[in-house]
Amino acid sequence: MPKDLQKITIAIDGHSSCGKSTVAKDLAQAFGLTYIDTGAMYRAVTLYAIEQGLYSPHGLLVAELEKALPHIQIALRKNKESGQVETWLNQELVEDRIRSLEVSTKVSEVSALAFVRKRMVELQQEMGKNGGVVLDGRDIGTVVFPQADLKLFMTASPEIRAQRRYDEMQAKGEKVSFEAVLENVKSRDHIDSTRAESPLRKADDALVLDNSRLDRQAQLAWVMQQLKDRSWAV
Ligand code: DC
């Protein structure tokens, strides 16, 4: 008998800006799953640190952030009109602010902190405990849900990823050079995959999806085929 998708846990990991959220949103939409954007949660913690003055001229005040952690409430809520999942920080909608270049530049350092990760992982496990979820991040298949039913590891070349991010930012009117975006993509790759805490790595049982040359429909079709091959009722 085909397996019920309402119980499925799909883990999508991979480099920054390689389209993880697009696949995750498309799968959520196609099958009525809950989309959990774990990067947004680390971004929200980073935004909190910036807006609460937890940066000195010498950098992040780590001990202050640790003290503040119990006061940081993060929620991912579906906007009933747009159908999009949005990030809320302490009852305030922060979806746009967490995508700024300043947050993007600072988030790798924040997400490398063990106490931040511990709290976010607990929250993510709680959010996904009943299944029917698709999560994207860096450590979903390795740490958050090592028993996930389907694990994808996505990648694409740094130049292609930087171009996508650059186009998104241009569309939003953010003034930024392509070189700065490429630099940010490369530096985050480096930090994400070399950090001590849960470095980005492919789970042994993850399927690799390189979408450098796949469009949105083609990549969704590819994932659907993987689900079908594993007897999920797509
Ligand atoms: O996916 P994103 O670019 O929005 O993620 C923002 C940052 O958060 C990125 O630098 C890596 C980090 N991150 C993480 O360490 N673990 C996750 N599960 C998700 C994101």
Side-chain angles (χ1 to χ4, degrees), residues 13 15-17 20 37-40 42-43 99 104 107-108 111-112 117 124 136-140 144 165 188 192 195 198:
D13 290 305
H15 295 103
S16 59
S17 307
K20 296 186 296 295
D37 176 353
T38 66
Y42 291 97
R43 287 172 177 273
R99 313 280 166 194
S104 298
V107 64
S108 282
S111 63
R117 300 206 70 81
Q124 291 152 17
D136 75 4
R138 305 293 188 286
D139 59 344
I140 310 303
V144 183
R165 192 73 152 206
R188 283 206 287 155
D192 291 348
R195 70 184 176 207
S198 309

Side-chain angles (χ1 to χ4, degrees), residues 173-185:
E174 280 206 41
K175 288 199 176 34
V176 57
S177 71
F178 174 76
E179 287 68 29
V181 177
L182 180 60
E183 204 39 57
N184 178 252
V185 164

Side-chain angles (χ1 to χ4, degrees), residues 53-229:
L54 302 186
Y55 280 89
S56 79
H58 307 294
L60 178 63
L61 302 168
V62 174
E64 298 292 313
L65 179 61
E66 186 164 13
K67 241 192 285 170
L69 203 63
H71 307 293
I72 304 180
Q73 280 178 24
I74 296 169
L76 303 176
R77 297 193 191 129
K78 195 166 181 171
N79 179 316
K80 289 205 180 71
E81 270 165 39
S82 67
Q84 298 294 315
V85 176
E86 295 173 332
T87 311
W88 291 71
L89 169 64
N90 291 342
Q91 317 304 333
E92 206 188 325
L93 180 63
V94 293
E95 186 55 35
D96 286 340
R97 268 139 70 202
I98 61 169
R99 313 280 166 194
S100 69
L101 189 59
E102 186 182 13
V103 171
S104 298
T105 309
K106 292 189 157 86
V107 64
S108 282
E109 185 188 8
V110 171
S111 63
L113 298 168
F115 63 86
V116 173
R117 300 206 70 81
K118 182 170 178 292
R119 180 77 193 113
M120 294 304 116
V121 169
E122 282 166 5
L123 270 173
Q124 291 152 17
Q125 289 172 337
E126 178 62 28
M127 289 171 171
K129 69 178 182 207
N130 296 325
V133 287
V134 47
L135 302 95
D136 75 4
R138 305 293 188 286
D139 59 344
I140 310 303
T142 51
V143 176
V144 183
F145 285 110
Q147 310 301 339
D149 301 295
L150 184 75
K151 297 183 189 178
L152 303 178
F153 188 86
M154 290 185 58
T155 189
S157 75
E159 287 72 19
I160 286 183
R161 291 185 282 134
Q163 188 65 52
R164 290 177 188 158
R165 192 73 152 206
Y166 177 75
D167 292 345
E168 265 169 35
M169 291 174 128
Q170 289 284 99
K172 282 191 209 153
E174 280 206 41
K175 288 199 176 34
V176 57
S177 71
F178 174 76
E179 287 68 29
V181 177
L182 180 60
E183 204 39 57
N184 178 252
V185 164
K186 286 184 176 168
S187 108
R188 283 206 287 155
D189 280 2
H190 180 73
I191 301 177
D192 291 348
S193 47
T194 56
R195 70 184 176 207
E197 291 295 327
S198 309
L200 170 65
R201 117 181 138 68
K202 182 182 109 44
D204 294 337
D205 51 350
L207 307 170
V208 176
L209 170 53
D210 182 334
N211 71 357
S212 300
R213 286 185 190 78
L214 287 183
D215 66 16
R216 189 167 180 165
Q217 280 79 18
Q219 77 183 359
L220 183 62
W222 184 87
V223 181
M224 291 221 190
Q225 188 59 50
Q226 303 304 319
L227 287 165
K228 226 185 253 176
D229 292 348

